[in-house]
Amino acid sequence: MKTILVPTDFSDQATYALDLAAGLAQKSNAKVQLLNVVEAPHGSSFSAMGEVSTPNAQDNLYFVQLIEAAKKKFDEMAAEGKYANIKLEGVVEVGHPFEHISRTITEHQVDLVVIGSKGSSGLEEIFVGSNTEKVVRRADCPVLTVKNPVKTSEIKNIAFATNFRGDHSKLVQQLSDLQNLFDATIHMVSVNTPSNFENDRYYKKAMKEFAEQHQLENYTMNVYNDDPEEDGIIYFADDINADMIALGTHGRTGIGRLLSGSIAEDIVNHAKRPVWTFQL
């Protein structure tokens, strides 16, 4: 792992994400790339030099002040003692947050995104969504979502949810690297639901073959009965006091996402512990 991206709006959750990323950077000697995106007002124009102008002069002044304030916060972070032992770089961009996050992932060959989230519920989930959800759904690299303070030294048990269908080779390689970084135990779990039921014997056989195929080490095999599946994953993690939840996401968008739902996004919204996701 060479580059860790931390999108930030300077909220408490973004600070928790930065602190966790800093701990990971110390373990892996990676660089932490901080990104703050200032959203331009509607009707703004951009010059060839990247300067922004708005129809309203007062709005334009406020907009420039936001950019300067962000740059000042980056300077203050770089001067803080707790980040002195890592390579930390801050960038301020102008435009749409998700677009700049996606571009940064590609241009900087980001290995991991660590992002803060407040979560959402009810109508907010359906109609609004968040930049965090978009990143979870569409990022080309693993995404680690954080809501509360967490130390890398505390992550020793990872609940890994899977149904063992499809190609998981890239996901397991990424997860194994994370497991080695934390020196953690992986607790594989499949959630049985009434509409998609398999007996324990089937799942235990599938888990054993999965572990052997991907040469997993230091793991347990578990079957959990609940409905819906996302509740089962969260409750299983609660029951074993997992420090992190890990799972794959299919990255569906548009009407496909509305029809099929997104287990990964639901868990990111509702789980209290960190959630690691990777697009299958």
Side-chain angles (χ1 to χ4, degrees):
M1 190 156 55
K2 296 180 180 179
T3 304
I4 302 171
L5 173 64
V6 182
T8 182
D9 57 1
F10 307 108
S11 64
D12 289 343
Q13 286 74 21
T15 301
Y16 304 152
L18 175 57
D19 290 344
L20 179 56
L24 289 169
Q26 285 184 312
K27 282 180 168 288
S28 60
N29 196 32
K31 178 185 77 173
V32 175
Q33 177 77 53
L34 271 170
L35 174 65
N36 175 254
V37 182
V38 178
E39 295 190 67
H42 294 293
S44 302
S45 61
F46 299 82
S47 72
M49 300 299 293
E51 296 174 336
V52 185
S53 61
T54 67
N56 187 300
Q58 187 173 358
D59 286 345
N60 196 44
L61 176 61
Y62 176 68
F63 185 70
V64 171
Q65 290 174 337
L66 284 178
I67 296 173
E68 293 303 317
K71 291 179 179 178
K72 183 178 179 181
K73 287 181 180 178
F74 280 149
D75 291 338
E76 292 172 353
M77 286 179 175
E80 285 190 43
K82 64 178 178 178
Y83 305 127
N85 295 326
I86 64 168
K87 292 173 281 187
L88 183 66
E89 181 180 300
V91 176
V92 181
E93 299 281 5
V94 176
H96 189 278
F98 174 71
E99 291 176 0
H100 282 287
I101 291 170
S102 298
R103 187 179 305 162
T104 302
I105 289 171
T106 301
E107 292 179 354
H108 291 261
Q109 297 181 321
V110 170
D111 301 295
L112 174 69
V113 176
V114 185
I115 187 168
S117 174
K118 295 179 181 179
S120 58
S121 60
L123 291 177
E124 183 183 356
E125 283 184 67
I126 299 171
F127 295 112
V128 180
S130 68
N131 289 302
T132 300
E133 289 175 339
K134 291 177 184 177
V135 173
V136 166
R137 193 186 319 141
R138 298 167 66 179
D140 294 328
C141 66
V143 179
L144 181 53
T145 308
V146 182
K147 291 180 183 171
N148 300 295
V150 58
K151 296 179 180 178
T152 54
S153 60
E154 296 174 347
I155 299 176
K156 293 300 178 185
N157 292 284
I158 301 174
F160 170 46
T162 179
N163 58 14
F164 307 105
R165 299 182 181 95
D167 183 7
H168 289 70
S169 55
K170 290 183 179 179
L171 180 150
V172 175
Q173 180 59 60
Q174 294 280 354
L175 182 60
S176 295
D177 290 343
L178 194 73
Q179 176 190 23
N180 292 333
L181 201 62
F182 291 125
D183 190 23
T185 299
I186 289 179
H187 301 275
M188 287 191 291
V189 61
S190 284
V191 177
N192 250 334
T193 63
S195 61
N196 190 24
F197 182 84
E198 296 285 355
N199 59 40
D200 283 16
R201 184 178 183 185
Y202 166 84
Y203 274 126
K204 291 296 175 68
K205 183 176 182 291
M207 288 180 190
K208 186 176 180 180
E209 291 175 351
F210 184 89
E212 291 175 352
Q213 177 188 351
H214 297 289
Q215 299 180 329
L216 281 179
E217 296 181 356
N218 194 16
Y219 65 90
T220 68
M221 301 185 297
N222 307 272
V223 180
Y224 201 88
N225 300 310
D226 211 324
D227 189 33
E229 189 175 349
E230 49 267 37
D231 283 357
I233 294 170
I234 291 173
Y235 294 151
F236 170 77
D238 287 344
D239 288 351
I240 68 167
N241 196 27
D243 305 302
M244 180 184 293
I245 296 172
L247 72 162
T249 175
H250 290 283
R252 296 186 180 95
T253 59
I255 192 68
R257 172 173 169 266
L258 292 175
L259 292 175
S260 65
S262 173
I263 292 174
E265 289 172 47
D266 284 340
I267 291 173
V268 164
N269 272 327
H270 301 137
K272 297 178 182 178
R273 47 187 41 84
V275 180
W276 181 94
T277 55
F278 183 75
Q279 188 178 149
L280 297 171

